[in-house]
């Protein structure tokens, strides 16, 4: 087998490798990258970047002045003039047609751009076939094209140029036609594009090249001597809600107007000195919404600002080649095999798998914080698949005999006991151990009468339906089903596995058994079967737990006085007309989560030591006001009864029976009180407080 396991790991490694190289992980990898961005990207950003947004507020303000969208070009002129001291102003708005307000409108805007001498405009490259190109457009393309050769991301066939006035006036231009990843999210920004033999830079990159901040060497881009990773690098977005100073366009216009009227402006003109400004559309109706890994609602101008931030501050995320993923995948597969060969405990192997997964995530997270992203999905897949395959093969080959024994045992006993015996084979020896357990008995009330009303087959169907539901509830709360005795089911908690919540789990199971019975009765009603009622009794105490069978037949069970008393408590429900009766030993371990009331101090037949018993009425959290009032007032009556204030107790009980005439415990207690009141003389001993049960 030691030779086979490495082969299994090799197969899983190769399978993962094929998926990785064929792009099978691409979608999931993009989502993993987004998670890393949201939780690991820094919340810092450049203070020198300003976004002037044409938002809904600005549109509404201009609309009140009877200026509708699209605005006249002359509206932008004062904005450009007011920001003329900025290092650069990037306008991410396409002015591809002459203004509908006339030639003078375009000229006013172009003159302002010319005077500012810091404005870079957007150029939209297109994949459509080139139409006739004007001399002005060709001259403009040659002016903004790079002289150095660079590795281009994509070749375009044509351009949608701005109007001639802006082509002549703008300081420079760059392409703004960027595409998202397959899922529509913008994670990468290409730096260079090809157009009719010319290399066109990305939008804001044109400014950096003009200022000699960026240069091209060997076809690669360098900014301040640091190489930008790849021709379409991954952006690192800030996790701040508003990473850059953002100003509504209307505030700029109002500030310009205030200065022209010698009033104090909202924003001083010198605020823009030394800053880089991006002007763009952010209003939802202007259709420039672009989702990013950080936000599902972002805009193109925010992406351009983040790209510029990455360029000047070296913030791009490096994405190393596939070899840096393949090699770790191989070693993770070997690690999985090594763990399975060295560890034969399922728990230890699962722990090793969890540790390796955490290590992969932690290592890639640390690298991401240091601007390096290693594909994490192929690593996790190779790791998990190798572990699962190796574990499956190991347990399939080594555990055949174990599985056989478990299958055989499970035919005769609860799965929990079977698992425990397989781990502790010494329990197969005859005899037992003294353990403190909760013993549970549930019996169908009046089953003899019910069975006489049905055919044998119908009775068997009813019994099977009830026992199946009760068994699922008991096992669901950690109980062990011991045996079925006709219409009775016996179970226990605390053996062979001990839990600190045995009392809580057993009471929860009891309440939910009654709920499950409601479901069964609903189904029975549709089949014409009679309604089923259930009585449950439980007690906790010492028992002998172990193999009480024979040499031929194994039987793990519990025996002792505790079992007998639990069975008697189930029968006591008949006397009190209740459904769940438990001893004080059980109720004391339930953390007061159940609504209950003391029934009596009883002395069952065959026992001389009395036992205090309680009715469990349900979960306190689910109890309605009526049930809480009944329990509270009954408890008051019980307290007065034990204090010897029998008449006061009787008054409360008679009041309760008026409100709740079918309440069995109130009727039983009232009968006891009246007997004491009718007695010729008070009792000479305390035996009056004990109920002696004469029947089993």
């Amino acid at each position: 087998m030691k030779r086979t396991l490495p082969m299994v790991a090799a197969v899983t490694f190769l399978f993962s490798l094929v998926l990785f190289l064929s792009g099978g992980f691409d979608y999931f990898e993009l989502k993993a990258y987004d998670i890393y961005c949201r939780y690991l990207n820094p919340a810092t950003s450049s203070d020198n970047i300003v976004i002037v947004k044409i938002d809904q507020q600005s549109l509404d303000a201009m609309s009140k002045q009877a200026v509708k969208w699209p605005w006249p070009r002359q509206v932008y002129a004062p904005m450009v003039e007011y920001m003329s001291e900025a290092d650069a102003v990037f306008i991410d708005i396409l002015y591809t047609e002459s203004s509908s307000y006339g030639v003078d409108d375009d000229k006013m805007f172009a003159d302002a751009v010319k005077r500012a001498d810091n404005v870079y405009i957007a150029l939209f490259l297109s994949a459509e076939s080139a139409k006739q190109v004007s001399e002005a457009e060709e001259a403009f393309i040659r002016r903004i094209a790079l002289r150095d050769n660079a590795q281009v991301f994509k070749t375009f066939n044509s351009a949608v140029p701005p109007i001639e006035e802006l082509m002549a006036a703008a300081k420079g231009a760059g392409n703004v036609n960027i595409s998202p990843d397959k899922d529509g999210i913008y994670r990468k920004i290409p730096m260079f594009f090809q157009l009719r033999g010319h290399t066109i830079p990305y939008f804001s990159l044109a400014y950096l090249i003009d200022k000699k901040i960026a240069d091209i060497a060997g076809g690669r881009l360098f900014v301040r001597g640091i190489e930008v990773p790849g021709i379409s690098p991954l952006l690192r977005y800030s996790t701040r809600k508003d990473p850059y100073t953002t100003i509504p366009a209307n505030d700029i216009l109002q500030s310009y107007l205030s200065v022209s009227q010698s009033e104090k402006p909202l924003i001083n003109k010198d605020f823009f000195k030394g800053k880089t400004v991006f002007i763009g559309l952010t209003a939802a109706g202007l259709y420039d919404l672009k989702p990013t890994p950080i936000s599902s609602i972002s805009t193109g101008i925010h992406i351009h600002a983040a790209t510029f931030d990455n360029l000047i501050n070296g913030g791009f995320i490096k994405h190393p080649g596939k070899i840096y993923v393949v090699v770790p995948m191989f070693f993770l597969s070997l690690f999985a095999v090594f763990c399975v060969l060295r560890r034969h405990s399922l728990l230890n192997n699962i722990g090793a798998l969890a540790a390796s997964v955490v290590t992969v995530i932690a290592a890639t997270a640390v690298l991401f914080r240091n601007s390096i992203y290693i594909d994490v999905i192929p690593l996790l897949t190779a790791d998990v698949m190798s572990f699962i395959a190796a574990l499956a093969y190991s347990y399939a080959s080594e555990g055949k005999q174990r599985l056989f024994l478990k299958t055989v045992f499970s035919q005769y006993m609860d799965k929990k006991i079977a698992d425990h015996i397989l781990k502790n084979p010494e329990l197969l020896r005859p005899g037992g151990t003294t353990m403190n357990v909760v013993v549970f008995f549930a019996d169908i009330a009046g089953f003899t009468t019910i069975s006489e009303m049905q055919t044998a087959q119908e009775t068997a169907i009813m019994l099977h339906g009830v026992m199946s539901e009760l068994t699922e509830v008991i096992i669901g709360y950690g109980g062990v089903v011991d045996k079925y005795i006709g219409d009775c089911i016996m179970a226990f908690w605390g053996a062979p596995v001990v839990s600190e919540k045995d009392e809580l789990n057993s009471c929860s199971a009891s309440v939910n058994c009654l709920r499950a019975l409601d479901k069964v009765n609903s189904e029975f009603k549709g089949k014409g079967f009679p309604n089923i009622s259930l009585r449950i009794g439980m007690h906790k105490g010492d028992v002998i737990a172990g193999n009480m069978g024979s040499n031929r037949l194994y039987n793990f069970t519990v025996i002792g006085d505790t079992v007998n008393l639990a069975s008697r408590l189930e029968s006591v429900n008949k006397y009190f007309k209740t459904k769940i009766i438990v001893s004080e030993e059980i109720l004391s371990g339930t953390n007061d989560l159940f609504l209950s009331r003391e029934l009596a101090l009883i002395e069952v037949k065959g026992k001389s030591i009395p036992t205090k018993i309680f009715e469990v009425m349900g979960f306190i959290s689910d109890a309605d006001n009526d049930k809480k009032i009944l329990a509270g007032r009954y408890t008051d009556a019980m307290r007065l009864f034990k204090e010897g204030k029998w008449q006061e107790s009787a008054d409360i009980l008679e009041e309760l029976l008026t409100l709740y005439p079918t309440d069995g415990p109130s009727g039983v207690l009232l009968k006891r009180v009246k007997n004491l009141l009718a007695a010729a003389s008070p009792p000479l001993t305390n035996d009056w407080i004990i109920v002696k049960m004469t029947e089993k």
Side-chain angles (χ1 to χ4, degrees), residues 43-112:
T44 57
S45 56
S46 175
D47 294 330
N48 290 324
I49 295 176
V50 178
I51 293 177
V52 175
K53 58 180 180 178
I54 299 177
D55 58 354
Q56 193 60 49
Q57 173 189 331
S58 299
L59 294 178
D60 294 342
M62 295 297 288
S63 181
K64 290 178 181 178
Q65 301 177 38
V67 179
K68 304 296 183 182
W69 183 262
W71 293 343
R73 304 282 165 76
Q74 58 191 291
V75 170
Y76 300 98
M79 294 171 59
V80 170
E81 181 179 337
Y82 203 72
M83 295 181 288
S84 60
E85 293 186 27
D87 285 351
V89 176
F90 297 94
I91 303 179
D92 184 26
I93 302 173
L94 296 174
Y95 305 98
T96 58
E97 296 179 358
S98 298
S99 173
S100 60
Y101 293 90
V103 176
D104 288 342
D105 188 36
D106 286 332
K107 190 174 185 303
M108 289 179 65
F109 180 33
D111 287 346

Side-chain angles (χ1 to χ4, degrees), residues 417-521:
I417 301 179
D419 290 338
H420 190 73
I421 290 170
L422 289 171
K423 293 178 182 178
N424 303 275
E426 65 275 7
L427 293 175
L428 292 171
R429 293 192 297 268
T433 305
T434 300
M435 303 186 75
N436 194 256
V437 304
V438 173
V439 181
F440 168 105
F441 278 90
D443 188 70
I444 298 176
F447 186 74
T448 301
T449 303
I450 293 173
S451 62
E452 290 174 352
M453 299 166 56
Q454 309 292 319
T455 66
Q457 186 176 8
E458 289 174 335
T459 302
I461 292 172
M462 291 179 63
L463 192 60
H464 179 269
V466 173
M467 293 305 174
S468 294
E469 289 293 331
L470 299 186
T471 299
E472 290 302 319
V473 173
I474 292 167
I475 292 176
Y477 280 95
V480 175
V481 175
D482 186 306
K483 59 177 69 72
Y484 304 104
I485 313 166
D487 61 322
C488 175
I489 183 171
M490 174 184 169
F492 52 83
W493 281 258
V497 181
V498 181
S499 168
E500 294 180 355
K501 297 182 178 180
D502 287 336
E503 298 94 332
L504 178 60
N505 287 335
S506 60
C507 284
S508 298
S510 298
V511 173
N512 282 286
C513 277
L514 296 183
R515 292 178 177 176
L517 192 64
D518 291 337
K519 174 186 172 185
V520 173
N521 280 326

Side-chain angles (χ1 to χ4, degrees), residues 146 148-155 189-194 198-202 205 215-222 227-233:
L146 302 178
D148 297 316
N149 291 325
Q151 295 179 4
V152 298
F153 174 75
K154 186 176 180 180
T155 297
I189 293 292
M191 293 290 106
F192 302 105
F193 312 87
Q194 189 80 22
H198 300 290
T199 301
I200 306 299
Y202 162 73
L205 184 57
D215 60 79
I216 302 167
R220 298 188 297 274
L221 176 64
F222 292 82
E227 183 180 355
V228 174
I231 59 175
S232 183

Side-chain angles (χ1 to χ4, degrees), residues 33-42 185-187 235-241 243 291-298 368:
Y33 176 83
D34 292 349
I35 292 173
Y36 277 47
C37 285
R38 286 194 291 271
Y39 292 100
L40 298 175
N41 273 1
I185 296 177
Y186 289 80
R187 301 179 182 87
L235 288 177
R236 185 185 285 280
Y237 292 95
S238 172
T239 54
R240 282 172 53 189
K241 184 178 180 181
T292 69
I294 300 297
S295 173
S296 59
I297 303 176
S298 189
F368 188 86

Side-chain angles (χ1 to χ4, degrees), residues 582-624:
V582 302
S583 63
E584 184 178 23
E585 288 80 0
I586 287 180
L587 197 62
S588 62
T590 59
N591 300 323
D592 298 325
L593 294 178
F594 297 90
L595 185 66
S596 62
R597 54 179 169 173
E598 182 182 341
L599 296 178
L601 191 64
I602 68 167
E603 188 178 293
V604 299
K605 188 176 181 180
K607 280 182 65 71
S608 58
I609 301 176
T611 301
K612 186 180 290 187
I613 61 171
F614 295 79
E615 179 193 11
V616 173
M617 304 172 71
F619 293 101
I620 290 179
S621 58
D622 295 338
D624 55 29

Side-chain angles (χ1 to χ4, degrees), residues 79-80 83-91 116 118-121 203 207 275-279:
M79 294 171 59
V80 170
M83 295 181 288
S84 60
E85 293 186 27
D87 285 351
V89 176
F90 297 94
I91 303 179
N118 66 348
V119 177
Y120 289 78
I121 57 177
F203 188 28
Y207 160 77
K275 290 184 170 60
T276 304
V277 181
F278 290 83
I279 303 176

Side-chain angles (χ1 to χ4, degrees), residues 15-26 182 322:
F15 180 72
S16 302
L17 182 62
V18 170
L19 285 176
F20 171 50
L21 297 178
S22 64
F25 295 131
D26 288 356
K182 296 177 182 178
K322 294 181 178 179

